Amino acid sequence: NVYPDMAFGESFAEENFFYMDTATGEWNHGLLMVDETAKNAFNGYTALENTEAFYAMASFPILMQKNWSFSFEGGARYEDYTMDLDSYNPITNAPATTIYGDTASAHLNQNAILPSINLIYKNDDQVIVRSAYSKTVGRPEFRELAPIAYQEFYQSEVAIGYPFLKNAEVQNFDLRGEWYPSASELFSVGLFYKTFENPIEVSMISTPDLDYKTFQNARTAHTSGIELEVRKKLPIPLTMGFGSISMNSTISHSEVTVKDTVFLFNGTSYANSASTTQRPLQGQSRVMFNASIDYRSPNAYTIALAYNSFTKRINSVGVGEVGDIYEFPFHSLNMTAGKKFGSFKVSGKINNILNSNVRFGHIESSTGDLKLRKVYSPGLSFSLGVKYQLQQNRS
């Protein structure tokens, strides 16, 4: 309030605030400044996470023949996991509550047995076939649990945590074949399949003023694919050094189905405003590709050139007709080089030689046109390092 005998802003003078006089040690009663976002002042939390675990493993042959063998490697890990998170108003210390008056606290307690089973076939140490099964868990982060509205730094979206998330459980199935023509060469093909129970995914709430995202346990999710890897020695004489070329690629398909209804920490529910409730996993590309060339000279010079790229992947879940926001392919080409001089090693690196741009945008559903929302250039970067290794004499 501004009174007739006060200048504008005078009510916010220091003497009108609640503070302690450091000279006298006395409290001055007055104004309190509260930063409240969307009437959600419960923006403080305390959390305690504890994991107690042990594991046992074993490795033994099942069949041993002259030129081949079949063996088992595996075990299990036991985890006793607890997590307690309590959100509160940092001014009044009042806990966050639901519309029913219950405390909106997060409490996770899980006793998990996580097995790992590997069956391995070897033929003259040149051909190896591995089949594997394992179970893993995915646990929510504190920010995904805390019932606090905050604006994300990069996407400027307002996110709200959900304290009633469940841990996700993942079952992994893998089959991989490897051929080693020589000690430095490899050809391999791998198949994988993963299923998710209670996967943690983003859901959207659309309001007239803002779009909010929160975190929910989705219905189902799975991913499958094939991995290819090649490592080949370059055909140069050993007197000229050693070089190799490596390539690997992953081709995958993923799908997650989220629920039609979104629940907030206070007990209210809304329709899921996401563009689609069935989409690929966030952050997963259909194709990923990596390649590198390495060379080491007889006089300790080294040089390596590495390239990697990926197909478009969901960066941010879209709302309504706008569609999902994708990160589009980034072509990264980097070079490193080095040389040893006794106890010294000098190295240099150049990043993003192609000067590629990072691009985010969406694809118009009606026309298929690319609409960019954000583009930035990381530019080229150069670095130079010197490393000294202290020699120690041992008797």
Side-chain angles (χ1 to χ4, degrees), residues 100-137:
Y100 309 106
D102 302 323
T103 301
S105 301
H107 302 286
L108 293 174
N109 191 342
Q110 182 187 39
N111 296 319
I113 298 178
L114 308 175
S116 175
I117 299 172
N118 299 267
L119 298 175
I120 304 169
Y121 167 84
K122 289 185 179 182
N123 186 347
D124 285 336
D125 290 332
Q126 283 192 321
V127 176
I128 301 177
V129 179
R130 309 172 190 267
S131 62
Y133 165 79
S134 64
K135 184 177 180 181
T136 54
V137 293

Side-chain angles (χ1 to χ4, degrees), residues 89-268:
N89 185 314
I91 301 298
T92 65
N93 287 325
T97 57
T98 69
I99 57 176
Y100 309 106
D102 302 323
T103 301
S105 301
H107 302 286
L108 293 174
N109 191 342
Q110 182 187 39
N111 296 319
I113 298 178
L114 308 175
S116 175
I117 299 172
N118 299 267
L119 298 175
I120 304 169
Y121 167 84
K122 289 185 179 182
N123 186 347
D124 285 336
D125 290 332
Q126 283 192 321
V127 176
I128 301 177
V129 179
R130 309 172 190 267
S131 62
Y133 165 79
S134 64
K135 184 177 180 181
T136 54
V137 293
R139 297 185 173 113
E141 299 177 359
F142 289 159
R143 271 205 160 187
E144 295 172 339
L145 290 165
I148 294 171
Y150 60 93
Q151 192 166 26
E152 294 196 326
F153 183 77
Y154 288 105
Q155 297 301 325
S156 300
E157 294 175 321
V158 176
I160 305 175
Y162 183 62
F164 307 113
L165 289 173
K166 300 177 182 177
N167 293 328
E169 297 186 358
V170 188
Q171 298 193 69
N172 310 278
F173 303 86
D174 296 271
L175 179 63
R176 180 181 175 93
E178 304 169 358
W179 176 41
Y180 296 89
S182 67
S184 58
E185 295 179 316
L186 166 67
F187 296 88
S188 74
V189 178
L191 303 174
F192 64 88
Y193 179 75
K194 302 175 185 291
T195 62
F196 300 78
E197 182 180 351
N198 295 319
I200 300 169
E201 279 287 317
V202 168
S203 292
M204 303 298 296
I205 300 172
S206 184
T207 68
D209 56 343
L210 282 174
D211 294 323
Y212 297 87
K213 83 172 187 180
T214 187
F215 309 93
Q216 307 276 283
N217 289 112
R219 293 186 185 278
T220 59
H222 69 269
T223 180
S224 59
I226 182 171
E227 297 175 329
L228 307 171
E229 184 176 0
V230 177
R231 187 169 65 244
K232 179 68 176 174
K233 182 173 61 175
L234 293 176
I236 56 177
L238 286 177
T239 56
M240 298 178 60
F242 176 82
S244 65
I245 182 170
S246 302
M247 292 182 291
N248 66 76
S249 181
T250 301
I251 305 170
S252 63
H253 169 78
S254 67
E255 185 176 273
V256 58
T257 303
V258 298
K259 298 175 182 177
D260 297 326
T261 303
V262 182
F263 296 93
L264 289 183
F265 72 93
N266 59 9
T268 58

Side-chain angles (χ1 to χ4, degrees), residues 74-94:
R77 174 181 171 91
Y78 172 81
E79 288 190 357
D80 182 2
Y81 173 81
T82 58
M83 196 283 306
D84 298 288
L85 183 146
D86 296 297
S87 180
Y88 64 93
N89 185 314
I91 301 298
T92 65
N93 287 325

Side-chain angles (χ1 to χ4, degrees), residues 338-349:
K339 174 70 169 76
K340 290 192 70 175
F341 301 92
S343 298
F344 287 92
K345 182 178 181 180
V346 179
S347 60
K349 187 172 184 178

